[in-house]
Amino acid sequence: MWLSQGEERGIQTRPGVSEMPLLQKKRWESMAKGLVLGALFTSFLLLLYSYAVPPLHTGLASTTPEGAAPCSPALSEPEAPTPANGSAGGCQPRRDIVFMKTHKTASSTLLNILFRFGQKHGLKFAFPNGRNDFDYPAFFARSLVQDYRPGACFNIICNHMRFHYDEVRGLVPPNATFITVLRDPARLFESSFHYFGSVVPFTWKLSGHDKLAEFLQDPDRYYDPHGYNAHYLRNLLFFDLGYDSDLDPRSPQVQEHILEVERRFHLVLLQEYFDESLVLLKDLLCWELEDVLYFKLNARRASAVPRLSGELYRRATAWNVLDARLYRHFNASFWRKVEAFGHERMAREVAALRRANERMRRICIDGGHAVDATAIQDSAMQPWQPLGTKSILGYNLKKSIGRRHAQLCRRMLTPEIQYLMDLGVNLWVTKLWKLIRDFLQW
């Protein structure tokens, strides 16, 4: 019996209808498998990260085994005299330096200065092993130093750590110079929130467009002092220097810790007055102008730098009250040092430093300015980026630079991770983490 055209069409379309649930079933099975694999891979990454980042220890205790010998400098190494008035007094350049590298304070720029000086003079660095920091946020221990042996003596220590004075003191000669750098706590908090916020789980609760403002409206609602990476978002300076960042501001220990920092450190630089700080550092260490030349490293592009309003600035300062007290103290002592140095002399030397930096900018930097990460042509010049964004600027080295400046230009522009590798540091954990991030496009 012949079928009508409509009946034929109906018979032809029925198999397609019956196949639809099967296709959907396969699609859902594929998605389920992807989710399971993703969960397993994420668990592996968390396990790896928990190994790479040690647990946080809030108590300060000696971490070097009993009987470990302190630094024993060779008898042939004369101690550099303390300059009464810097280079004007005919002093000898100081080569034994501890730089307590704080976070988000232009410390990467200062680190580059120390790398160059140490490399130029063949000095011995105390480097971390496997990573670019000393198992931060755990307290520093001598045993964390690459190729450490009891009694070993080093010229320069300068990588990120959570400061432990006795452990550091045992690695350098008695006359070593201790320095660190501070920053306005509200500005530092904003920078740290931007850079580290994605790896602080309690910030994941923030749902608004402006997460920083949302957090500062009621920080106690979100902040968990025992939360993973919580230290990045409250009194980070106090924490880096080895103190309890959740200490009661009314405790007398706060002022005791501040005075202890003053006793231990020969110079506390200020990020907001970086050039003036470098002039004081140059004077203290009896260095040459070339030794403190710099390009700004690890800086964010302007569009990634939100401006704290007056109210948010006040709230950020109040939230970081321990850092605020620390900063006020050393801001005052900084200007007393400038007064002793001489304001006119300071103005002259700052101007000379800026002229020399400008000259090097014209010699070294292609285009004369920093560029977005996507515009950096040489991977050796690519800075480390925060998770989920490429907001850190870098540089392109000029193609044709005279022999006199070629080496200096490259060193001045090399980011921290690449410079550490150039200096022979074992960074297997950092390299592995970078491979995973590149693969996942984080």
Side-chain angles (χ1 to χ4, degrees):
M1 181 178 180
W2 293 99
L3 296 175
S4 68
Q5 193 174 2
E7 288 173 320
E8 271 188 357
R9 283 199 298 267
I11 292 171
Q12 289 170 351
T13 56
R14 283 189 195 110
V17 171
S18 64
E19 287 173 3
M20 287 300 292
L22 182 61
L23 292 173
Q24 289 178 344
K25 182 181 177 182
K26 288 182 178 179
R27 188 178 298 113
W28 281 109
E29 285 177 352
S30 177
M31 289 176 64
K33 289 177 183 176
L35 287 171
V36 170
L37 288 172
L40 289 172
F41 188 59
T42 302
S43 300
F44 167 74
L45 290 182
L46 289 172
L47 182 64
L48 174 66
Y49 194 68
S50 66
Y51 170 78
V53 179
L56 175 61
H57 304 291
T58 54
L60 179 60
S62 179
T63 47
T64 295
E66 279 189 54
C71 163
S72 303
L75 295 177
S76 59
E77 297 177 4
E79 291 192 2
T82 302
N85 192 27
S87 55
C91 60
Q92 295 295 315
R94 296 174 73 91
R95 299 185 175 191
D96 301 314
I97 303 157
V98 173
F99 171 42
M100 174 51 229
K101 187 178 189 293
T102 48
H103 286 84
K104 315 314 297 175
T105 56
S107 60
S108 293
T109 301
L110 190 51
L111 188 74
N112 181 273
I113 290 172
L114 293 171
F115 283 169
R116 286 172 9 229
F117 184 84
Q119 193 174 23
K120 176 181 176 181
H121 295 282
L123 303 183
K124 187 177 182 182
F125 288 92
F127 283 130
N129 189 23
R131 307 163 32 151
N132 61 310
D133 59 58
F134 291 105
D135 279 14
Y136 183 90
F139 280 105
F140 176 81
R142 285 176 241 179
S143 57
L144 297 172
V145 174
Q146 182 173 291
D147 301 324
Y148 170 73
R149 297 289 182 275
C153 208
F154 298 88
N155 300 114
I156 298 177
I157 307 175
C158 54
N159 289 82
H160 276 308
M161 67 172 74
R162 190 174 187 202
F163 193 58
H164 187 319
Y165 179 76
D166 292 334
E167 289 292 300
V168 174
R169 175 77 274 177
L171 285 174
V172 291
N175 65 318
T177 301
F178 282 65
I179 62 173
T180 191
V181 57
L182 306 182
R183 182 182 183 183
D184 179 305
R187 307 296 179 194
L188 184 148
F189 172 78
E190 181 277 319
S191 181
S192 184
F193 193 96
H194 166 82
Y195 196 92
F196 298 112
S198 61
V199 295
V200 183
F202 65 70
T203 65
W204 301 347
K205 304 173 189 175
L206 300 164
S207 56
H209 174 69
D210 190 344
K211 293 188 176 185
L212 176 67
E214 184 180 350
F215 177 85
L216 287 174
Q217 289 302 317
D218 188 7
D220 288 312
R221 176 184 173 188
Y222 303 101
Y223 180 73
D224 175 8
H226 305 295
Y228 186 69
N229 282 338
H231 59 279
Y232 284 122
L233 298 187
R234 192 173 201 188
N235 296 311
L236 183 54
L237 293 172
F238 232 66
F239 183 89
D240 283 354
L241 287 164
Y243 303 117
D244 181 1
S245 54
D246 289 301
L247 195 62
D248 186 337
R250 297 166 296 182
S251 169
Q253 285 185 289
V254 176
Q255 186 62 17
E256 290 170 11
H257 291 333
I258 292 171
L259 294 177
E260 186 172 65
V261 173
E262 186 169 53
R263 289 193 301 273
R264 289 174 169 174
F265 287 85
H266 299 85
L267 178 63
V268 176
L269 297 81
L270 299 181
Q271 186 261 2
E272 289 79 8
Y273 303 99
F274 197 66
D275 289 347
E276 291 85 351
S277 294
L278 289 181
V279 168
L280 291 179
L281 181 66
K282 169 178 165 290
D283 183 67
L284 174 67
L285 300 178
C286 196
W287 284 7
E288 300 296 329
L289 178 62
E290 182 180 300
D291 296 326
V292 294
L293 298 180
Y294 72 93
F295 297 129
K296 191 175 182 181
L297 300 178
N298 219 33
R300 282 181 293 166
R301 64 173 181 267
S303 61
V305 185
R307 298 297 176 190
L308 287 176
S309 68
E311 177 61 19
L312 287 180
Y313 179 88
R314 185 192 66 77
R315 287 177 179 271
T317 301
W319 177 245
N320 297 276
V321 63
L322 304 183
D323 280 2
R325 287 181 59 178
L326 178 77
Y327 184 82
R328 281 197 297 269
H329 180 93
F330 285 101
N331 184 53
S333 68
F334 179 86
W335 292 109
R336 287 195 295 271
K337 290 180 185 292
V338 171
E339 183 74 30
F341 186 83
H343 287 285
E344 290 186 7
R345 180 183 171 202
M346 175 61 74
R348 288 196 304 271
E349 297 214 15
V350 165
L353 174 60
R354 289 174 178 170
R355 285 195 302 270
N357 281 335
E358 174 61 20
R359 177 171 174 268
M360 291 306 297
R361 182 189 66 79
R362 293 195 302 268
I363 292 172
C364 302
I365 300 175
D366 188 25
H369 56 80
V371 296
D372 282 338
T374 53
I376 298 172
Q377 299 163 9
D378 184 353
S379 61
M381 296 293 161
Q382 187 70 245
W384 190 267
Q385 299 289 342
L387 277 176
T389 181
K390 290 194 173 183
S391 57
I392 304 301
L393 301 174
Y395 298 92
N396 285 314
L397 191 66
K398 275 191 174 180
K399 299 293 190 296
S400 56
I401 302 174
R403 289 180 60 187
R404 180 183 173 190
H405 296 103
Q407 185 182 75
L408 178 58
C409 285
R410 176 164 285 277
R411 289 178 177 178
M412 287 180 70
L413 292 172
T414 300
E416 175 182 343
I417 302 298
Q418 291 90 322
Y419 211 140
L420 283 167
M421 289 190 288
D422 289 347
L423 292 171
V425 182
N426 176 13
L427 294 179
W428 75 268
V429 175
T430 303
K431 289 178 180 178
L432 180 58
W433 183 236
K434 183 180 185 303
L435 285 172
I436 293 169
R437 286 186 57 179
D438 290 346
F439 176 75
L440 296 175
Q441 297 183 340
W442 281 357

